[in-house]
Amino acid sequence: MKRLFLSLSLMLTCCVLWSQSVLKVCYATSDDGFLNVRVEPSSKAEILTTLPMAFHGLGRGILIEEGQQWSEVRILNQTGWVYTKYMGTMGWYTQNGQPKLVAKKIVTPLWTDNYADDGPQYLYFGSVREGCIIADEYELLPNGYYVLKTGHDYIFVNKDDVIVEQ
């Protein structure tokens, strides 16, 4: 009985780890700098919005699921499909053994810097679900936010919205 319980626990743990998603920001790599985000995975489907190229090193969408031909993405509060061939991704999870940031809220918001002098310091970028691995490359700022850096732009997550785990 103990072996059965141990086996089931191990299988459940493995399933949870395998199903854990990782934050990847996505962007267009097409020649014109834009990629259509469609209602469904078809070139004939209605266009919801466009995914721009990476400006200053940061994409504008969050990858939900990558497929061979079509990938599901989210831009702000819109979810749709892009043609994978013209999409690039970046992330901050290297699997190098460093403690990782994991989203702990059902909907964990991500923020980007407001480079304008007026308004709030951070603007809403998007969100990830509870359990999503956000990064193992990050820095804790004195204001209580973790920062994920690229060449120019940054993504921020409130330290109260994540768990740091090994």
Side-chain angles (χ1 to χ4, degrees):
M1 186 66 160
K2 286 183 182 180
R3 283 187 196 174
L4 178 62
F5 180 72
L6 182 60
S7 296
L8 290 173
S9 296
L10 183 59
M11 285 178 16
L12 181 61
T13 302
C14 288
C15 289
V16 169
L17 290 176
W18 287 332
S19 68
Q20 205 168 26
S21 61
V22 175
L23 168 65
K24 287 188 181 178
V25 172
C26 53
Y27 53 90
T29 60
S30 56
D31 290 339
D32 65 359
F34 292 96
L35 182 54
N36 290 329
V37 179
R38 297 182 179 272
V39 174
E40 55 189 45
S42 167
S43 59
K44 295 180 180 178
E46 176 187 348
I47 297 170
L48 285 172
T49 186
T50 56
L51 180 67
M53 61 188 259
F55 294 105
H56 305 292
L58 184 62
R60 294 291 182 247
I62 295 175
L63 181 64
I64 296 172
E65 186 174 339
E66 188 167 4
Q68 281 194 318
Q69 275 198 300
W70 292 91
S71 295
E72 191 174 11
V73 301
R74 183 172 44 252
I75 300 176
L76 296 175
N77 292 324
Q78 292 188 327
T79 300
W81 298 86
V82 297
Y83 196 63
T84 305
K85 178 180 177 180
Y86 300 112
M87 178 191 73
T89 63
M90 70 171 81
W92 294 266
Y93 181 54
T94 64
Q95 301 181 42
N96 64 8
Q98 298 294 319
K100 58 186 179 251
L101 299 179
V102 179
K104 75 176 189 181
K105 293 175 75 176
I106 293 172
V107 176
T108 301
L110 304 173
W111 307 91
T112 189
D113 208 341
N114 179 1
Y115 294 102
D117 291 335
D118 57 341
Q121 179 182 0
Y122 299 132
L123 299 174
Y124 179 73
F125 179 82
S127 63
V128 293
R129 295 187 187 277
E130 178 181 16
C132 178
I133 299 171
I134 296 173
D136 60 9
E137 290 186 340
Y138 54 86
E139 180 182 331
L140 180 60
L141 301 176
N143 67 357
Y145 280 81
Y146 288 103
V147 61
L148 315 177
K149 299 178 182 181
T150 65
H152 181 271
D153 293 324
Y154 307 108
I155 289 182
F156 301 89
V157 61
N158 188 310
K159 75 174 186 171
D160 296 331
D161 295 343
V162 294
I163 299 167
V164 179
E165 61 181 45
Q166 195 61 334

